[in-house]
């Protein structure tokens, strides 16, 4: 049963959601204590960023034990209680499945250092090319080399992400079986499915040199290859046993490749997170930001809406800067926040809301690298330093792109600790929590939080918004308009003005929702006005 076609999914970054014991780190009992907020918002499922045992080089995306919970977050009993408490509120739990790599502290990796062990072929080991040269010329996702020498085994291992995230070897059928067992373990505990981390890069066809590129040299050897499709179909056998839901995080995929990854007849994934629309404000790579051009976003969304039967919709996650800071307006934070909410909740697909998005949390207000934790930002700073880029410029590159922008603690209240912790938070709390917090927005019927809540409810009650086709109507430098239609249902028209300036549109209709509270519509649009017309 495709429950996920009617669902809104809420992403939790456990470290920053709610601390329950004053150590400054969010935890599972904290999440349980906030389930009512998620119910109140109207979400049907939560996706938890990793809570497994991990030395936290990449905050849980480096797993050292897939069958246990990071003690900072709680115990397996807490996790079981979370699943049960969520179920009691009709909320499904989706786990993050991070199986492209494990932590080098995972016992598979420790064993793998010994060439004679049963785990010898679990990772991508290779010899250097003589006189201290690396096995090939590939570069990693975090801006650095992707090979590390292991003195015990006297070989290099591949790590496309941080040094302590070693890539698994998917040429080894034993690895595929291990992952299937891990998935069964969690599905038997009652989780509803998985968000599959960088799932389109599992299979590396060879470790040959790649074509030199500005970023990710070597990626033609692992991006969305047939070997990965085969592995997904193998995983799918387990998913089908449990009727599990899956969304793949798929880096650098085209609509064509996405069709193959989640085509109904192919029995691979249910949907994918694509990245193209996250690239509308960058040149070449994510660290070179340029002015956001709404028209690029409209074109990109339109292409994906038209190419795929179903999309995973998102504007934020734990890797991306905050959407109001990025696509919205400083002059109109509330209106632009509501407009972005309207976009997310009226496209065709399954909307994912990232914690804090529903109250318009912004990018961090840090001023120095020292305040950051993100392994990617710290690596990039090291690389830029090596290239003699001066400190001021380094900060100007890193600050707007750092993943920590989305990782500051949830702003529940305005006071010290923002209701997140009674202790010292592991990552700085944004000082704007005095103005931007849930408690204040709950009181204010005109708040962004109430707008999200209202649109989620509208979506739940309006079949055309959930299942209708997407028909593009207008796409100018600032206005995006589209229709959702479904035989036997009244169509809806959505008009969005992505600008601090007014605009006009040819669209007309009776107002169902308007973020300026207007009751009639004559085709003129205020700055950042969002209208749903019947
Ligand atoms: O991210 C994969 C990914 O490619 C990017 O989003 C990444 O965060 C970065 O921007 C690359 O430049 C996933 C997870 O979402 C991320 O948190 C992990 O760090 C990464 O995989 C490794 O597991
Ligand atoms: Ca805690």
């Amino acid at each position: 049963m495709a429950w996920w076609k009617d669902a809104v999914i809420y992403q939790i970054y456990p470290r920053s959601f709610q601390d329950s014991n004053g150590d400054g780190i969010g935890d599972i009992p904290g999440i349980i204590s906030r389930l009512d907020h998620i119910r109140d918002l109207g979400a049907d499922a939560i996706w938890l960023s990793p809570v497994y045992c991990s030395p936290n080089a990449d905050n849980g995306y480096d797993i050292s034990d897939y069958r246990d919970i990071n003690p900072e977050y709680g115990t397996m009993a807490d996790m079981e209680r979370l699943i049960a408490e969520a179920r009691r509120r009709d909320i499904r739990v989706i786990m993050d499945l991070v199986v492209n790599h494990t932590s080098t502290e995972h016992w598979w990796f420790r064993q793998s250092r010994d060439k004679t062990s049963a785990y010898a072929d679990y990772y991508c080991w290779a010899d250097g090319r003589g006189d201290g040269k690396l096995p090939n010329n590939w570069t990693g996702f975090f801006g650095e080399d992707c090979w590390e020498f292991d003195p015990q085994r006297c070989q290099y291992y591949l790590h496309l992400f941080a040094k302590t995230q070693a890539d698994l070897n998917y040429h080894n059928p034993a690895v595929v079986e291990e992952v299937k067992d891990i998935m069964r373990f969690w599905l038997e505990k009652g989780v509803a499915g998985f968000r599959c981390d960088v799932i389109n890069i599992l299979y590396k066809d060879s470790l040959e040199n790649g074509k030199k590129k500005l970023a990710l040299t070597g990626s033609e050897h692992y991006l969305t290859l047939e070997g990965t499709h085969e592995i997904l179909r193998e995983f799918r056998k387990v998913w089908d046993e449990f009727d599990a839901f899956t969304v793949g995080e798929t880096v650098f995929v085209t609509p064509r490749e996405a069709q193959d990854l989640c085509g109904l007849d192919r029995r691979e994934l249910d949907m994918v997170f694509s990245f193209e629309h996250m690239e509308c404000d960058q040149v070449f790579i994510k660290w070179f930001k340029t002015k956001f051009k709404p028209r690029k976003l409209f074109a990109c969304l339109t292409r994906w809406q038209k190419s795929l039967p179903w999309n995973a919709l998102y504007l934020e996650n734990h890797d991306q800067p905050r959407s109001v800071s990025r696509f919205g307006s400083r002059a109109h934070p509330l209106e632009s926040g509501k407009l972005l909410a309207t976009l997310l909740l009226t496209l065709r697909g399954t909307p994912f809301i990232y914690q804090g998005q529903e109250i318009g949390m912004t990018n961090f207000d840090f001023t120095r690298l020292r305040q950051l934790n993100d392994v990617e930002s710290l690596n990039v700073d090291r690389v830029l330093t090596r290239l003699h880029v001066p400190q001021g410029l380094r900060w100007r590159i890193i600050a707007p792109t750092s993943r920590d922008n989305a990782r500051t603690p949830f702003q529940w209240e305005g006071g010290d600790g923002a209701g997140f912790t009674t202790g010292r938070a592991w990552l700085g709390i944004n000082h704007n929590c005095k103005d931007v917090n849930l408690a204040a927005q709950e009181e204010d019927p005109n708040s962004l939080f109430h707008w999200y809540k209202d649109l989620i409810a509208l979506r739940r009650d309006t079949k055309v918004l959930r299942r209708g086709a997407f028909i593009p109507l207008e796409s100018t430098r600032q206005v995006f308009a589209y229709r959702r239609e479904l035989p036997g249902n009244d169509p809806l028209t959505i008009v969005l003005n992505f600008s601090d300036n007014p605009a006009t549109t040819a669209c007309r209709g009776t107002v169902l929702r308007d973020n300026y509270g207007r009751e009639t519509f004559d085709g003129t649009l205020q700055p950042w006005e969002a209208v749903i017309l019947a």
Side-chain angles (χ1 to χ4, degrees), residues 58 101 141 195 197-198 249 251 286 318-319 376 403:
D58 189 14
H101 42 266
F141 281 73
R195 175 269 186 188
D197 192 62
V198 288
E249 186 209 26
V251 288
K286 66 179 274 192
H318 64 293
D319 292 334
E376 178 180 79
R403 304 188 300 178

Side-chain angles (χ1 to χ4, degrees), residues 81-294:
R81 199 156 57 84
L82 171 59
I83 296 169
E85 287 292 325
R87 176 172 300 139
R88 224 161 52 78
R89 294 167 176 82
D90 271 327
I91 298 171
R92 291 176 161 88
V93 177
I94 294 157
M95 299 281 278
D96 214 313
L97 185 77
V98 188
V99 294
N100 173 67
H101 42 266
T102 74
S103 165
T104 48
E105 289 186 24
H106 195 290
W107 68 286
W108 298 339
F109 187 82
R110 293 175 187 229
Q111 306 275 321
S112 192
R113 291 190 153 126
D114 173 358
K115 275 189 182 163
T116 64
S117 90
Y119 297 89
D121 294 329
Y122 268 45
Y123 295 86
C124 304
W125 292 102
D127 292 322
R129 288 179 299 174
D131 32 286
K133 283 227 218 86
L134 305 179
N136 67 25
N137 67 349
W138 297 7
T139 55
F141 281 73
F142 289 156
E144 287 195 313
D145 307 331
C146 53
W147 291 100
E148 187 67 14
F149 187 72
D150 181 70
Q152 186 183 332
R153 172 143 171 166
C154 277
Q155 272 192 311
Y156 291 86
Y157 64 86
L158 176 71
H159 63 90
L160 288 177
F161 294 89
K163 262 190 198 36
T164 55
Q165 290 168 302
D167 283 58
L168 286 162
N169 172 19
Y170 276 92
H171 290 257
N172 183 351
V175 168
V176 177
E177 288 311 310
E178 293 273 13
V179 173
K180 286 167 70 181
D181 279 349
I182 291 166
M183 297 188 304
R184 277 196 204 96
F185 175 87
W186 287 103
L187 291 167
E188 276 162 9
K189 287 209 180 288
V191 310
F194 301 103
R195 175 269 186 188
C196 309
D197 192 62
V198 288
I199 203 70
N200 64 321
I201 68 170
L202 297 187
Y203 185 85
K204 283 82 181 172
D205 67 356
S206 79
L207 301 177
E208 306 280 296
N209 275 343
K211 241 198 307 33
K212 272 233 181 291
K213 281 188 296 229
L214 193 54
L216 290 185
T217 295
S219 57
E220 67 273 27
H221 291 295
Y222 56 79
L223 279 181
T224 326
L225 304 181
E226 187 46 38
T228 290
H229 287 296
E230 275 167 28
I231 294 161
L232 286 172
R233 288 194 288 269
E234 194 54 38
F235 288 173
R236 177 72 180 235
K237 293 179 188 160
V238 177
W239 298 335
D240 279 346
E241 279 169 44
F242 293 86
D243 198 14
F245 159 76
T246 54
V247 51
E249 186 209 26
T250 48
V251 288
F252 303 102
V253 282
T254 62
R256 184 73 259 286
E257 291 166 331
Q259 286 166 0
D260 286 347
L261 287 160
C262 52
L264 264 185
D265 48 322
R266 292 180 49 102
R267 317 261 355 119
E268 295 182 23
L269 297 159
D270 289 324
M271 60 179 90
V272 302
F273 287 122
S274 59
F275 280 71
E276 239 177 68
H277 68 301
M278 291 282 114
E279 291 161 8
C280 293
D281 57 349
Q282 75 183 39
V283 267
F284 307 125
I285 51 176
K286 66 179 274 192
W287 294 292
F288 300 145
K289 284 274 173 212
T290 162
K291 198 172 143 40
F292 164 53
K293 295 205 185 59

Side-chain angles (χ1 to χ4, degrees), residues 19-27 72:
D19 176 23
S20 72
N21 60 353
D23 66 357
I25 299 172
D27 46 50
E72 288 176 325

